[in-house]
Amino acid sequence: MTTPIGPVIIFDDEFHMYVLKDRAVAEAWWEMPDEYACGFDALARPLRMTGEPRLVTLELSGEEPAEADLRRLVAGHYRRFLHGQTPPAASDLAAFVNALPIEG
């Protein structure tokens, strides 16, 4: 498997979305692997998180994009946490991911 391509989009156990510049930033930033629900790289490939608290690793859990899942989770995040805002509407995946708000 190849390395995840940034930015990475991570959802915590409450499905709050975090968009982080790249894998290294995400691994340094994320503290508790048990608070991780799911994630995707910039190509919408699913990620898994392994490791101990404050020592996590992100890796691809599959090569096949899960774009529909990513878009559904992003829309859910906007509905629950960003009232009055709408998720990116770009049909192109790269434009969609680039329109997401990067943390930090």
Side-chain angles (χ1 to χ4, degrees):
M1 263 187 222
T2 59
T3 303
I5 295 174
V8 295
I9 303 101
I10 297 174
F11 295 88
D12 68 13
D13 54 356
E14 295 180 354
F15 289 92
H16 188 277
M17 177 181 72
Y18 303 87
V19 183
L20 301 157
K21 179 181 164 189
D22 57 31
R23 174 186 174 187
V25 169
E27 290 174 346
W29 189 76
W30 202 268
E31 293 185 2
M32 302 303 289
D34 62 340
E35 293 177 352
Y36 173 85
C38 63
F40 304 87
D41 76 350
L43 301 177
R45 298 177 297 182
L47 302 173
R48 77 174 139 248
M49 182 179 287
T50 59
E52 300 296 318
R54 292 174 283 290
L55 294 171
V56 301
T57 301
L58 280 174
E59 56 191 35
L60 293 173
S61 61
E63 289 289 329
E64 290 300 314
E67 185 176 347
D69 292 337
L70 172 59
R71 288 178 181 270
R72 179 182 51 77
L73 289 164
V74 167
H77 169 79
Y78 273 76
R79 260 191 322 277
R80 284 188 298 278
F81 302 109
L82 299 175
H83 304 283
Q85 297 183 42
T86 58
S91 60
D92 175 70
L93 177 61
F96 176 80
V97 169
N98 286 331
L100 296 173
I102 292 183
E103 300 286 328

